[in-house]
Amino acid sequence: MSAGAQPASVDFGGGCVLDPTDKVATLASLRTRCTPEQQAAIYSAADPGAAPSGYTRGRVIRPGYGSDLAPMVWTGKTFATGPDGGSLTNRLADGTDAWPAEIYRAPSIADGDPTWVLNYAPSPTPQVYDEIREVVPGVWLGYSWWREAGTDTLLLAFALAN
């Protein structure tokens, strides 16, 4: 790519478009236009990318009822990270931070490839385990899992943007 050239948008069909120059459009597409199968393909095609840093806005994108209810409780995550990871807390709708976690690279539950893991084991919700990948600059797609008795159950998919 030549200096100054912008990366191209990627169209997954049916209006599911990732635009590396437009975080808002990418988030809207992930939330309202991409099917679960397209979200899985996007996640699998992505590298871990950079770790998020600072406050990131969050949206539940699947299941559908979660995208409507979650903003009343959860608005995103606050990261304190470097190139190898760090820590985070979840930002609640009242502006407080809760549910601390560690962030580091590890194999994904979804596909075994490298991902950023958000491990809540030191918090009051140790069974929750998130993983994220940067799908366009400044936008991460992730899955939240419930880990118990050797079983990983997918709870929801979410997106973060800074």
Side-chain angles (χ1 to χ4, degrees):
M1 189 176 301
S2 65
Q6 294 292 323
S9 296
V10 179
D11 188 340
F12 289 86
C16 177
V17 177
L18 301 186
D19 184 345
T21 65
D22 190 341
K23 294 178 197 178
V24 173
T26 294
L27 287 169
S29 186
L30 286 168
R31 184 172 169 251
T32 62
R33 294 181 201 91
C34 299
T35 66
E37 294 78 20
Q38 288 169 319
Q39 292 165 359
I42 291 165
Y43 184 83
S44 289
D47 292 324
S53 181
Y55 176 67
T56 58
R57 295 178 320 279
R59 287 299 299 228
V60 171
I61 59 174
R62 192 175 74 225
Y65 64 83
S67 65
D68 295 332
L69 298 176
M72 292 184 269
V73 178
W74 175 75
T75 62
K77 298 178 186 294
T78 303
F79 291 87
T81 56
D84 296 323
S87 62
L88 69 108
T89 54
N90 282 274
R91 177 67 56 95
L92 304 182
D94 67 2
T96 61
D97 286 332
W99 301 303
E102 297 175 8
I103 176 172
Y104 52 87
R105 285 190 185 108
S108 166
I109 292 172
D111 62 17
D113 290 337
T115 193
W116 287 107
V117 167
L118 287 56
N119 188 351
Y120 293 90
S123 81
T125 55
Q127 297 86 356
V128 176
Y129 183 93
D130 295 344
E131 53 186 55
I132 58 173
R133 291 186 180 144
E134 192 174 28
V135 296
V136 300
V139 177
W140 293 264
L141 175 61
Y143 294 109
S144 187
W145 302 88
W146 184 264
R147 305 189 90 188
E148 193 167 40
T151 302
D152 300 319
T153 303
L154 182 61
L155 296 173
L156 55 88
F158 63 95
L160 301 168
N162 61 9

